[in-house]
Amino acid sequence: DIRMTQSPASLSASLGETVTIECLASEDIYSNLAWYQQKPGKSPQLLIYDATSLADGVPSRFSGSRSGTQYSLKISRPQVDDSGIYYCLQSYSTPWTFGGGTKLELK
Amino acid sequence: EVQLVETGGGLVQPGRSLKLSCVASGFTFSSYWMYWIRQAPGKGLEWVSSINTDGGSTYYPDSVKGRFTISRDNAENTVYLQMNSLRSEDTATYYCAKGTVDWGQGVMVTVSS
């Protein structure tokens, strides 16, 4: 199984301070990587798919990148509404595997 | 617009069975693999099952293999998850998904005596 190591587990950032969340895949997943945001009591919402493609309706302050097996989600000038838990998901091989999540608090 | 609506959740005793349904609309259902993903209360996400377009191939993690069965009815645009021999650790919100892009709102399953 492919292991997705997500970091950090939690993060407190100031409004306007760029935030970066990372997922390290244990092997090459060829950009089959998605990022989700989840708010309390809600289902995860897709932000980024195929590592770098912005999902419909997602603000452009969200972006994804890849360097080898390391994948990053960047939130530029985050807003209060960006608080939540963020997950990465690799869908290159079965079983799909998720990162452990990053809890983002904005102050 | 893609819509995925899960039903069938509820409270069930350990060892009993439950069947979840997910009705899809807004896309050509028979052309897509479908998935179930779950999230235990306060925990992360776990892939539970996949099924190919004609239902001939199915996949499960070891945690549910032999107990859960995914199936689909392309005429009814519905994917199912039959869950047998339920355990307390199966307590979770179960999401139906069309690939990584579209997910339903989820249905809660509680396994408790």
Side-chain angles (χ1 to χ4, degrees):
Chain A
D1 298 1
I2 296 176
R3 181 182 177 91
M4 301 301 295
T5 303
Q6 186 171 342
S7 62
S10 63
L11 181 56
S12 181
S14 301
L15 293 176
E17 170 190 348
T18 296
V19 167
T20 300
I21 299 168
E22 296 180 334
C23 269
L24 178 65
S26 60
E27 60 186 84
D28 201 336
I29 57 172
Y30 301 96
S31 294
N32 289 275
L33 190 285
W35 289 99
Y36 298 87
Q37 177 196 65
Q38 188 176 32
K39 293 185 176 289
K42 301 292 187 181
S43 63
Q45 296 297 306
L46 180 70
L47 300 173
I48 301 287
Y49 63 96
D50 294 345
T52 60
S53 297
L54 194 66
D56 289 347
V58 175
S60 59
R61 63 179 179 272
F62 292 90
S63 63
S65 64
R66 171 192 173 186
S67 176
T69 59
Q70 177 109 318
Y71 293 82
S72 300
L73 172 70
K74 185 169 77 171
I75 312 172
S76 302
R77 298 179 304 282
Q79 308 296 305
V80 172
D81 188 53
D82 297 335
S83 295
I85 301 177
Y86 292 79
Y87 295 96
C88 63
L89 162 65
Q90 73 80 20
S91 58
Y92 172 67
S93 71
T94 298
W96 285 5
T97 45
F98 291 86
T102 296
K103 185 173 183 178
L104 174 62
E105 175 192 310
L106 290 159
K107 52 184 193 246
Chain B
E1 179 193 3
V2 171
Q3 287 201 329
L4 299 165
V5 180
E6 304 99 333
T7 58
L11 174 63
V12 61
Q13 293 179 327
R16 303 298 290 266
S17 300
L18 204 61
K19 188 172 185 177
L20 305 182
S21 301
C22 170
V23 177
S25 60
F27 63 102
T28 304
F29 179 77
S30 59
S31 298
Y32 289 87
W33 284 53
M34 296 297 294
Y35 305 83
W36 287 96
I37 294 153
R38 70 182 179 183
Q39 185 173 36
K43 302 296 185 182
L45 296 158
E46 179 188 21
W47 164 78
V48 171
S49 187
S50 305
I51 188 167
N52 72 340
T53 54
D54 66 6
S57 296
T58 57
Y59 304 88
Y60 310 91
D62 289 344
S63 57
V64 308
K65 195 175 295 182
R67 300 188 299 122
F68 288 13
T69 303
I70 189 172
S71 61
R72 66 190 296 159
D73 183 337
N74 285 343
E76 297 292 330
N77 289 352
T78 302
V79 60
Y80 303 98
L81 186 67
Q82 176 68 48
M83 304 184 293
N84 298 332
S85 303
L86 282 162
R87 306 168 180 169
S88 58
E89 55 263 38
D90 296 319
T91 293
T93 297
Y94 286 74
Y95 297 100
C96 166
K98 166 187 165 283
T100 60
V101 176
D102 299 293
W103 292 33
Q105 289 304 298
V107 62
M108 184 69 199
V109 173
T110 303
V111 183
S112 174
S113 54

